[in-house]
Amino acid sequence: MSAGSAYRNLRKHLGRVIFPALVLMLATGSSAQVGAYRPVDHNRLLKGEESSDWLTYGRTYFEQRFSPLRQINQFTIGTLGLAWWVQFDTSRGQEATPLVADGVIYTTTAWSKVYAFDARTGRQLWTFDPKVSGRTALAACCDVVNRGAALWNDRIFVGALDGRLIALDRRTGKPVWSVQTTDPKLPYTITGAPRVVKGKVIIGNGGSEYGVRGYVSAYDAQTGKQAWRFYLTPNPDGKPDGAASDEVFARTANATWFGDVWKTSGGGGTAWDAITYDPDSNNLLIGTGNGAPWNHHIRSQGKGDNLFLSSIVALKPETGKYVWHYQTTPGDTWDYTATQPFIIADLFIKDAKRHVVMQAPKNGFFYVLDAGTGELLSADKLAPWVDWAHGVDLGNGRPVERIGVRWGAGGNSRQNPGPPGAHSWKSMAFNPIEGLVYIPALNVTGNFAAPSHPEEYRHIPGTQNRGVGVQGVAPGKQAAPGALQRARAAATGDPLPSVLSGELIAWDPVARRARWTVKYSDPEWGMGGVLATAGSLVFQSVKHDLKAYDAASGREVWSYPLGASAIAAPISYALDGVQHVALMVGNGGGNGQGYSTRTDTPVPGRLLVFKLGGKQIAPDHIRTNRMALDVSRAEASTGDALAGDVFYNRYCRFCHGQNFIYPDLRRSPVLSSRTRFKRVVFDGLLESRGMTSFAAFLNEQEVEDIRAYLLRGASR
Ligand code: CA
């Protein structure tokens, strides 16, 4: 018996002995029908309304991810158990925040599929598959994930990976309209949840590293007609776009870009996650991404702030008209996006009530700004390990960079945070009673190094374009075999991030410091987003467990074995007076994230729903341990393993990981023959599963070079 199942049995036993009456009472309410559908409108989405539902990505417009429910608390949590669960048809990453309205729970999965279940019983009401082409995976930096849907009136909206925005009937899941929000010829993707404000569906996109220009668009929820678009980097033609962004680009933003490289690399700045509406100021807040390529020296001759990269941009939701912006990382050259989630709240700062927006972007600082005006109120390091800048000058709002961190023209910089960021898309939560923001943070370093010939940079389709050189090689040391070729041939790569710890930081945004921190050693990416509740609890998954902590002290009060890693955030809702906690389980992400060991093989995603007295048991996943490939019986390769190293690192590892681990390619039977390998990599045999043909980027000999490289790995 594993430690996990022993714990589960113990907990089950305790539940039977101590709380039989409670269990009986709850069981009687579970046969109620799905409730009447009430329109999800502006009033329902406002703060404080509908405490029992979860109506938008961060629960309400303010996106605090704070549930006012308190039935599950430190005194009752001992009986929290599984009410129901479902398993999905994909083992790709699961990042969605489910929505709950009128007795129905809606969720999205990898490949942008949408599901509706009876929130009491788990009975599936409908499902919608947008049938995204497996080929789209080529443009997805970080797996074929989707973070959620949006509700408005009687409709539900999802952004599909291939750039479509689709409206469905909430009752049936039948499509009402669908619009292509991106140029399908360009490597755009959508992974983020739409938001709906005043009858307009707001959607961004991703793809900076692959060479696109970021923007955010609004569509009429009723008709699907585009209402406005706001670009986040300049028009490479130098002309107006006929978009809402034209005025501010002509006035200020165009002048913050230099040279020509950004014109062919897209510029970046994609708004792939945070979009939040502040009803008090009627501002729509957009979080924007990093530059393309990363290297500021290459992208913009090392000059200029490059608006609106790595910024918080406030727009009017009706028109897309610019209101204000704050750039967290001027002249970004480290992949320090500011797409991370926003929380809007009222804080008492120096005895005055301030209506603020809070963000912990990748760069490791925690920002508090006036949500109406954008005035910077504070900016502080999340932890002492953030070392790329000394601090933020509150006078001019700019980071005080450490000397040497601008690596782009030559040399290198090992710094914290590395490109995964001190905090990325994983949701933080705010408990207004405690006055604490709970942040899933990563103490992670990265080594940024300039390519040996920055002037030879060219944009390469089909891979990530970063303008980064030899990775992980300290100056003066011998480069590993393949590394030099990699640098010369590709001028792309990844600054070997090194995760030192994962930290759940309880941040006091008024005192401007952490009140408590839970440290996880070596969490890799198996750490999820956060839920806070009025039951004085903080829920977060780490490795294979869902944990609950005391909101005031960080003391662990509950742990439940999930059977697999979860990276999404839990939600909470109530039906018939019964509080539930729900969580999408499933790992995934870029670079084989989360699969640091061979034992953590991809398993199908699940939705787990808990309630007090829940007695269901989700069976363990069947994990087949693949036999090691007998290299001596494989067809010997005619390829060049050194060249294969270059190609693997250019085209394969953004999904399969640095160590071939997603899944473990060294154990793949496909490796055993040249023909089999070619059928997958060149002919696209597994395209429907997202492993598309690379014939547009590699010839047959180069594909065989990759096989030679993998066989070399398999024989070690
Ligand atoms: Ca990025």
Side-chain angles (χ1 to χ4, degrees), residues 213 231 235 237-243 245-247 249-250 254:
R213 179 183 179 206
Y231 286 94
N235 185 339
D237 298 339
K239 297 177 194 145
D241 289 294
S245 40
D246 282 352
E247 189 270 330
F249 271 93
N254 281 337

Side-chain angles (χ1 to χ4, degrees), residues 8 87 91 94 526-527 541-546 560-568 583-588 594-595 599-606 608 618-621 623:
R8 190 156 34 191
Q87 182 161 307
S91 58
Q94 305 296 349
M527 180 175 80
S541 65
V542 61
K543 288 191 174 170
H544 289 188
D545 298 313
L546 178 60
Y560 186 95
L562 298 168
S565 305
I567 50 179
L583 173 67
M584 293 290 287
V585 177
N587 212 331
Y595 297 101
T599 52
D600 200 6
T601 51
V603 292
R606 288 175 172 175
L608 300 189
D620 289 341
H621 288 286
R623 293 171 194 267

Side-chain angles (χ1 to χ4, degrees), residues 141 208-209 272 289-291 294 335-337 362 419 464:
C141 75
S208 288
E209 277 79 4
W272 52 264
N290 55 279
W294 289 358
D335 193 24
Y336 284 169
T337 70
K362 270 191 178 184
Q464 299 198 10

Side-chain angles (χ1 to χ4, degrees), residues 64 341 343 345-349 356-361 363-369 376-386 390-392 394 422-423 427-442 503-519 530 532 538 540 549-554:
Q64 295 181 351
I343 285 176
D346 291 324
L347 298 179
F348 281 89
I349 299 174
V356 304
V357 56
M358 299 184 276
Q359 190 193 38
N363 75 12
F365 284 85
F366 189 89
Y367 295 87
V368 181
L369 294 93
L376 179 64
L377 301 176
S378 62
D380 300 280
K381 288 183 184 185
L382 281 180
W385 36 256
V386 173
H390 299 292
V392 173
L394 292 181
H423 173 230
S427 318
M428 53 186 196
F430 175 63
N431 180 327
I433 302 161
E434 294 293 336
L436 291 175
V437 181
Y438 305 98
I439 308 158
L442 272 187
E503 304 196 354
L504 175 59
I505 298 175
W507 183 264
D508 182 332
V510 176
R512 299 168 59 180
R513 57 180 160 76
R515 198 178 297 167
W516 54 259
T517 299
V518 175
K519 283 193 167 69
V530 179
V538 178
Q540 187 194 27
Y549 300 96
D550 172 21
S553 69

Side-chain angles (χ1 to χ4, degrees), residues 262-297:
W262 61 269
K263 296 177 183 173
T264 49
S265 67
T270 46
W272 52 264
D273 197 61
I275 297 173
T276 302
Y277 175 62
D278 174 32
D280 290 26
S281 62
N282 191 36
N283 284 342
L284 183 68
L285 305 172
I286 312 293
T288 76
N290 55 279
W294 289 358
N295 188 329
H296 183 238
H297 176 79

